[in-house]
Amino acid sequence: MVGGDGLTANVKKEIDAALNAHGLIKVRVFSDDRVAREAMYQALADELNAAPIQHIGKLLVLWRPKLEKEKTVDEDRMAGPRDFKVLKYSKRAGQRPEVKTLRVLGNQRLTAGGNVRRAKPKPKTSVKKRSQT
């Protein structure tokens, strides 16, 4: 939102951060002067290297393509063991629950009941293709 102070350096900084995070943003301007809003719109587009998409009333829409982050993939990295704390409740009333620490490996999962199960392998083909053969 651009308030009564107009287009300040802090407003430009926040708009730039929003464009970096989202790519497409809406900016609401609380000025009644249409010519000033048009000038603000063009100034934002030029200074922030953004494309002006739409200007409807007091709403400005700007777009700038998001930068793709390079993902570093380590092929040798495997899912390591994780430790979970699980409460085992007693069947008798009034007893404190027992706290157990369970280690879950990369190919395992923890069920709702607190049991460790091996994860099922994903099928290579879909159910539909398997039924056709």
Side-chain angles (χ1 to χ4, degrees):
M1 289 186 202
V2 179
D5 293 340
L7 202 57
T8 63
N10 288 335
V11 171
K12 290 179 189 175
K13 180 179 160 189
E14 288 298 318
I15 292 173
D16 187 40
L19 280 170
N20 285 337
H22 303 289
L24 182 71
I25 64 166
K26 296 176 188 175
V27 180
R28 186 166 302 277
V29 182
F30 289 118
S31 172
D32 289 331
D33 187 14
R34 182 170 176 78
V35 177
R37 284 196 310 264
E38 279 290 333
M40 241 184 259
Y41 192 42
Q42 290 304 320
L44 280 173
D46 293 338
E47 291 177 23
L48 300 177
N49 195 22
I53 300 296
Q54 198 170 37
H55 176 198
I56 298 177
K58 296 183 180 185
L59 193 68
L60 314 175
V61 181
L62 295 169
W63 175 76
R64 181 171 65 192
K66 289 174 57 173
L67 298 175
E68 298 268 339
K69 293 181 182 178
E70 290 185 22
K71 294 183 180 180
T72 57
V73 176
D74 188 8
E75 294 177 4
D76 298 331
R77 185 169 180 251
M78 299 286 289
R82 295 167 298 190
D83 293 329
F84 290 100
K85 288 186 180 179
V86 177
L87 289 177
K88 291 277 188 173
Y89 292 99
S90 175
K91 293 183 180 179
R92 289 190 287 166
Q95 297 286 325
R96 285 189 177 177
E98 182 183 350
V99 178
K100 282 190 173 183
T101 303
L102 297 175
R103 176 159 286 183
V104 177
L105 301 176
N107 65 341
Q108 296 174 336
R109 63 184 172 85
L110 192 63
T111 64
N115 300 323
V116 177
R117 293 278 168 92
R118 189 171 22 185
K120 296 177 185 173
K122 292 184 180 178
K124 300 267 183 194
T125 59
S126 68
V127 175
K128 187 175 181 181
K129 286 185 180 177
R130 276 187 274 156
S131 66
Q132 291 176 353
T133 57

